[in-house]
Amino acid sequence: MATVDILGQFHLNGMHKTGDVILGGLFEVHFFSVFPDLSFTVQPQQIICHGFDVLGFRQAQTMAFAIDEINRNNELLPNVALGYSLYDNCVELGVGFRAALSLVSGQEKQFVLDDTCVGIPPVLGIVGDSSSTRSIAISSVVGLYRVPMVSYFATCSCLSDQEKFPSFFRTIPSDAFQVSAMIQILKHFSWAWAGLLVSDDDYGLHAARSFQVDLAQSGVGCLAYLEVLPWGENPSELKRIVNVMRKSTAHVVIAFAHESNMIDLMEEVMRQNVTGLQWMASEAWASATVLQTPRLMPYLGGTLGIAIRRGEIPGLKEFLLQIQPNQDLFNSYENNMVRFWEHTFQCKFAPPPVGWVEAGGTLCTGREDLEKVETEFLDITNLRPEYNVYKAVYALAYALDDMLRCEPGKGPFRGNSCASLQRLEPWQLVHYLQKVNFTTSFGDQVSFDENGDALPIYDIMNWLWLPDGRTEVQTVGEVKKSAFKGEELLLDEDKIFWNFESTKPPRSVCSDSCPPGTRMARKKGQPECCFDCILCSDGKISNKSDSIECTSCPEDFWSSPQRDHCVPKKTEFLSYHEPLGICLTTASLLGAIICAAVLGIFIHHRKTPIVRANNSELSFHLLVSLKLCFLCSLLFIGRPRLWTCQLRHAAFGISFVLCVSCILVKTVVVLAVFKASKPGGGASLKWFGPLQQRGTVLALTSVQAAICTAWLVSASPAPHKNTEYHNDKIVYECVVGSTVGFAVLLGYIGFLAILSFLLAFMARNLPDNFNEAKLITFSMLIFCAVWVAFVPAYVSSPGKYTDAVEVFAILASSFGLLVALFGPKCYIILLKPERNTKKVIMGRGTNNS
């Protein structure tokens, strides 16, 4: 056997109950503490705590109630009596740390252990602490020995690190989830621009880091400012912070801070009269009654807060009513009941302080009736931290129960062994605590994930400012996380009180949302929530709000005027429905009709001298070819298609070659006739008889047909959608396919026209009866002038005007030929029939000769 002596003890405020197994607890029963020395000495050190915290005391009593309830439960831990050692940390790290060491080491002055140094630990586990900072310090030490610690109020996300805190658990959600819940609320109300205030401790600083990271990842919004609230009195810093809030355009302020931080801050807010802000409270002050006063509600009314899940604990009120101070121990430092009684009934136990009675103070009897005094101690309608304490105690109890129900040979430890109460090691209970899973009487499931965090759930609170000046904190929703649905936000917006004239949620954005048709352009040197809305450029759109970039429309589409959707591009081609197309069509049809009319006149007067004297057969061929020239121009009007593209140039080339060939043969015939009229020249006419004339025309036309065939076979013209002229239009045009083929086609026509012109020019001074050469010369001059001007105009004309230029050239040259060659003859036939006689024609020829 081995004997271990305790070097010394701390003189701490506490409450104790014996049992087979002891659970420890750390609570804030007093707000302040005074102590001169905290070193280990033989004599106990007196630590004086003052400023009684009724709610902290109620939390401690809740643990006592839970243990009492478990002891009365025959199904949970049968034959095992639980006890407790509850200590007051006085909201002081040093006190809380020493209380934890006292729990781990025990209160006995001497321990007797067997040779293996095993036995029942002084405490099986610790419920606490309420502060993240104290929990970090305590858990980092007790975690070395794997003593389980279940906190009911420490929310710092850093405590989820199981490598640093391997035996830490908690029944309150981590700040990581609280931050996520805050961001969900921001997203729900479209608040993209908010300020963040945090306390200068682990709780606030870790929340700030987590909030910044999660907010950036979510894309919900960004922070207008981030300020750290000082501890203690620091009026200059508070003035600066409130001034930042007042000047900011953010109308939403999120505060991860403690009640004391908020009290100091709100004093400065009232001094500068900063109103019109929507406050969002973390769980540390979301239910703080000290802030729910008539003088603060003009500023804090309508606050939305994240609060610990409210629960119901049946039988707790009856247990609290049974509290009675132990007058035999009222002088003991262990009896916090005395302080509670004195605080509640504003009395003093004997012997009272000097002058207490003389000043009118009353003495406590210990028999005062709690039901007759108005105290928040008995208000169990809003149990939040207490509910977490209740769950923490039951988690330890269920873990111990599971451990004790282990069947030998089926245990989870080495050799399938089980743990025993007599040889319990703390890490063994940690193993069972990791697997605990139960449901409270309120219906909430309690279990821990791999980080020691409980299933997260928060209530969303709203500070309602009633017309009579009273304040009511109401639950308006909840946010929770489950394995199946993920994070889920439920809000009853109709119940929410908004402290604004509009009685509606405020707008809080740095820049208004960019509508469809624009993109966001971030303002230089400002957060990403501050941006300008830039209209999408031509051909690009954005079809949703707050687009980062505009997307290009497909090839055949263009952006609408609002740039919010793509529309089919306007199509452009020489249409029959537009004025230019109508005019050209009309001119083409008119030319064809005139040709038909002239042909009819010539056929009707085919036996008259003037028709017969001008080679009537070639004239008929010429009129037909001119008619074809007029009609082929219609192929250039209308939406280009493959067959029209292929046919238009072929028809144009062949028609004009047929026309010019007829003119060329007529010119040659004129020269031959003149030569035959001279002595000995009669033999020349036999080479230019009707058969030879037809053959020549056919041969010359066949050459053009061969050129067209080769062109169509090698590189056929085809319709093409051209977007080079206009970005917002599709110009339908026919590409020639082969520029060489098109050039050869035009060149051949030009060659025949120039040849006709030269021959006609040579014959211009022949006698009057052969004066058709003058008309041919003039018509060929018009024809060549038109097509010489056509080439530069064709090359420089864009889009549909290319076709219009070609049609105009066809019509102009066709009308020129028609008028120059057939106008004088029709004039004589129709208006001067007396001159349409052989005698006149021959006589004029005789006189001139």
Side-chain angles (χ1 to χ4, degrees):
M1 303 295 286
T3 301
V4 179
D5 293 326
I6 299 297
L7 294 178
Q9 293 178 314
F10 296 112
H11 189 57
L12 301 167
N13 294 320
M15 298 183 296
H16 307 278
K17 179 180 180 179
T18 60
D20 300 328
V21 175
I22 304 298
L23 299 182
L26 300 173
F27 299 94
E28 297 178 357
V29 181
H30 290 83
F31 289 117
F32 309 103
S33 61
V34 177
F35 44 89
D37 184 11
L38 287 177
S39 62
F40 283 103
T41 63
V42 177
Q43 297 297 325
Q45 299 299 301
Q46 180 69 31
I47 299 176
I48 302 174
C49 297
H50 57 94
F52 195 81
D53 184 357
V54 174
L55 296 182
F57 182 67
R58 186 173 70 179
Q59 293 164 16
Q61 290 298 319
T62 302
M63 181 172 177
F65 166 76
I67 290 176
D68 182 70
E69 187 178 64
I70 292 169
N71 288 336
R72 290 184 281 107
N73 189 338
N74 294 326
E75 296 181 358
L76 182 62
L77 289 175
N79 304 319
V80 176
L82 293 181
Y84 57 77
S85 287
L86 313 181
Y87 283 114
D88 178 11
N89 59 36
C90 299
V91 198
E92 188 68 46
L93 174 59
V95 178
F97 192 78
R98 282 154 180 79
L101 292 180
S102 297
L103 290 172
V104 174
S105 61
Q107 287 296 306
E108 300 295 331
K109 294 183 178 180
Q110 190 178 73
F111 280 92
V112 180
L113 302 175
D114 61 19
D115 294 335
T116 58
C117 293
V118 297
I120 300 177
V123 293
L124 189 67
I126 299 174
V127 176
D129 192 298
S130 59
S131 161
S132 293
T133 299
R134 292 192 295 272
S135 294
I136 291 170
I138 296 170
S139 184
S140 62
V141 175
V142 301
L144 297 175
Y145 306 99
R146 299 299 190 271
V147 176
M149 182 175 176
V150 185
S151 176
Y152 56 91
F153 213 67
T155 59
C156 181
S157 57
C158 59
L159 288 165
S160 297
D161 188 345
Q162 285 291 291
E163 291 186 3
K164 292 182 179 179
F165 312 104
S167 62
F168 181 83
F169 301 84
R170 53 184 159 193
T171 53
I172 187 172
S174 163
D175 276 340
F177 181 68
Q178 183 174 194
V179 165
S180 177
M182 291 281 196
I183 292 174
Q184 286 196 62
I185 295 174
L186 292 178
K187 181 179 181 180
H188 181 83
F189 292 109
S190 301
W191 292 334
W193 190 232
L196 179 62
L197 307 177
V198 298
S199 57
D200 190 11
D201 58 5
D202 293 303
Y203 171 73
L205 298 179
H206 277 89
R209 284 194 288 269
S210 179
F211 195 92
Q212 287 178 297
V213 172
D214 290 359
L215 187 64
Q217 291 178 349
S218 69
V220 171
C222 47
L223 294 178
Y225 53 85
L226 169 59
E227 297 293 341
V228 179
L229 299 176
W231 287 104
E233 293 187 7
N234 194 339
S236 60
E237 179 65 8
L238 288 173
K239 182 178 180 181
R240 185 194 65 81
I241 292 173
V242 175
N243 194 45
V244 170
M245 296 166 54
R246 181 172 54 83
K247 291 182 178 179
S248 175
T249 57
H251 296 137
V252 175
V253 181
I254 304 166
F256 281 87
H258 305 281
E259 292 182 22
S260 57
N261 298 122
M262 294 303 299
I263 291 171
D264 295 335
L265 175 68
M266 293 312 299
E267 290 294 333
E268 183 61 29
V269 168
M270 285 191 299
R271 195 186 69 80
Q272 295 193 30
N273 193 29
V274 181
T275 58
L277 296 179
Q278 175 62 48
W279 290 86
M280 292 182 65
S282 67
E283 41 73 32
W285 67 279
S287 302
T289 56
V290 69
L291 295 170
Q292 298 166 20
T293 61
R295 59 193 294 264
L296 289 179
M297 289 309 289
Y299 307 93
L300 291 176
T303 295
L304 287 176
I306 300 293
I308 302 169
R309 171 74 164 174
R310 187 191 70 83
E312 294 181 2
I313 306 176
L316 177 60
K317 185 171 183 178
E318 290 75 12
F319 178 84
L320 297 177
L321 286 171
Q322 294 175 5
I323 291 176
Q324 292 288 334
N326 190 334
Q327 297 190 48
D328 295 333
L329 299 174
F330 74 90
N331 285 324
S332 170
Y333 62 86
E334 295 177 320
N335 200 342
N336 283 298
M337 298 287 190
V338 172
R339 292 187 178 89
F340 163 69
W341 209 261
E342 291 179 341
H343 173 81
T344 302
F345 294 100
Q346 295 297 301
C347 59
K348 295 292 182 181
F349 282 97
V354 177
W356 173 260
V357 177
E358 290 78 3
T362 59
L363 293 177
C364 298
T365 65
R367 293 185 296 273
E368 288 82 2
D369 190 352
L370 280 173
E371 287 190 285
K372 293 182 179 179
V373 66
E374 187 174 341
T375 172
E376 57 183 339
F377 179 74
L378 296 176
D379 183 8
I380 62 170
T381 59
N382 196 31
L383 298 177
R384 297 182 187 278
E386 294 82 1
Y387 188 49
N388 282 348
V389 171
Y390 185 77
K391 291 188 290 185
V393 175
Y394 265 88
L396 288 169
Y398 272 103
L400 180 59
D401 185 67
D402 291 342
M403 185 189 73
L404 297 180
R405 293 180 185 274
C406 175
E407 297 181 19
K410 297 182 180 180
F413 306 120
R414 186 168 54 187
N416 295 327
S417 62
C418 295
S420 65
L421 193 59
Q422 290 72 27
R423 302 177 62 85
L424 176 64
E425 295 185 41
W427 64 267
Q428 294 174 320
L429 187 62
V430 170
H431 169 81
Y432 282 97
L433 198 56
Q434 291 171 339
K435 299 181 179 299
V436 75
N437 192 334
F438 65 95
T439 302
T440 68
S441 58
F442 191 57
D444 289 335
Q445 183 183 1
V446 179
S447 63
F448 302 105
D449 62 14
E450 65 276 5
N451 298 320
D453 295 326
L455 293 176
I457 183 169
Y458 275 117
D459 287 338
I460 300 175
M461 312 303 294
N462 179 231
W463 291 18
L464 177 62
W465 190 16
L466 300 173
D468 60 3
R470 291 184 299 109
T471 303
E472 179 181 320
V473 178
Q474 59 178 351
T475 302
V476 294
E478 66 179 18
V479 58
K480 58 184 177 181
K481 184 178 182 180
S482 63
F484 304 103
K485 296 184 179 180
E487 294 184 10
E488 188 177 8
L489 173 66
L490 302 174
L491 272 178
D492 186 355
E493 292 191 46
D494 295 334
K495 292 177 62 178
I496 298 178
F497 167 73
W498 302 105
N499 194 23
F500 301 96
E501 291 184 4
S502 63
T503 66
K504 294 180 180 179
R507 293 186 72 253
S508 187
V509 294
C510 181
S511 299
D512 288 327
S513 177
C514 287
T518 62
R519 64 175 178 85
M520 296 189 299
R522 183 174 173 180
K523 293 182 178 179
K524 188 175 181 180
Q526 296 190 32
E528 61 181 11
C529 292
C530 302
F531 48 82
D532 293 318
C533 297
I534 307 299
L535 186 68
C536 291
S537 57
D538 290 340
K540 294 185 175 183
I541 64 157
S542 63
N543 54 10
K544 60 181 182 180
S545 300
D546 295 330
S547 296
I548 298 176
E549 59 182 14
C550 301
T551 56
S552 299
C553 289
E555 182 181 3
D556 292 345
F557 291 81
W558 193 247
S559 55
S560 64
Q562 296 78 22
R563 307 289 200 277
D564 56 356
H565 66 283
C566 292
V567 296
K569 286 184 178 180
K570 295 179 180 178
T571 56
E572 182 179 272
F573 53 87
L574 189 58
S575 170
Y576 290 106
H577 305 290
E578 60 179 303
L580 180 60
I582 293 174
C583 292
L584 294 176
T585 301
T586 302
S588 175
L589 294 176
L590 180 62
I593 292 172
I594 293 174
C595 286
V598 173
L599 181 60
I601 292 172
F602 268 53
I603 292 174
H604 184 266
H605 297 87
R606 63 185 178 278
K607 294 182 180 180
T608 60
I610 197 167
V611 175
R612 297 180 63 188
N614 284 283
N615 199 328
S616 59
E617 184 178 350
L618 285 178
S619 296
F620 294 155
H621 289 162
L622 182 57
L623 285 170
V624 171
S625 64
L626 281 175
K627 184 176 181 180
L628 292 176
C629 289
F630 280 114
L631 293 178
C632 80
S633 64
L634 297 177
L635 295 172
F636 291 84
I637 305 174
R639 181 168 179 167
R641 305 188 184 279
L642 179 61
W643 69 272
T644 58
C645 289
Q646 293 175 335
L647 188 59
R648 63 168 58 172
H649 288 107
F652 154 71
I654 293 173
S655 298
F656 266 89
V657 165
L658 177 61
C659 176
V660 177
S661 297
C662 291
I663 295 173
L664 177 62
V665 171
K666 284 175 69 76
T667 305
V668 172
V669 169
V670 169
L671 291 173
V673 170
F674 176 70
K675 186 176 181 180
S677 65
K678 294 181 179 180
S684 60
L685 279 177
K686 67 179 181 179
W687 298 107
F688 291 96
L691 185 61
Q692 287 79 9
Q693 293 174 19
R694 297 190 198 101
T696 303
V697 171
L698 180 61
L700 293 175
T701 305
S702 298
V703 173
Q704 184 73 305
I707 292 173
C708 292
T709 301
W711 179 18
L712 294 177
V713 171
S714 62
S716 174
H720 172 64
K721 295 187 290 186
N722 194 328
T723 58
E724 295 179 359
Y725 303 129
H726 306 284
N727 290 329
D728 59 340
K729 291 181 181 179
I730 298 177
V731 178
Y732 285 96
E733 59 184 10
C734 288
V735 291
V736 294
S738 172
T739 306
V740 174
F742 187 46
V744 172
L745 181 144
L746 292 178
Y748 184 63
I749 296 174
F751 168 74
L752 295 180
I754 292 173
L755 183 60
S756 298
F757 172 74
L758 292 176
L759 292 177
F761 184 78
M762 292 170 56
R764 70 187 186 285
N765 292 323
L766 293 180
D768 285 347
N769 52 341
F770 303 115
N771 65 357
E772 191 173 14
K774 294 182 180 179
L775 301 179
I776 294 174
T777 302
F778 183 65
S779 65
M780 284 296 98
L781 184 62
I782 295 174
F783 184 88
C784 292
V786 169
W787 287 102
V788 167
F790 159 77
V791 175
Y794 181 85
V795 172
S796 60
S797 298
K800 64 180 181 181
Y801 298 104
T802 302
D803 293 334
V805 167
E806 191 165 357
V807 171
F808 181 79
I810 292 172
L811 295 178
S813 57
S814 298
F815 273 112
L817 293 176
L818 179 63
V819 173
L821 293 175
F822 296 99
K825 299 171 185 176
C826 289
Y827 174 76
I828 292 174
I829 293 173
L830 298 176
L831 300 179
K832 299 290 184 179
E834 66 276 7
R835 297 177 58 183
N836 189 8
T837 62
K838 183 176 181 180
K839 180 180 179 181
V840 172
I841 294 174
M842 294 302 295
R844 181 188 299 174
T846 304
N847 292 336
N848 288 342
S849 62

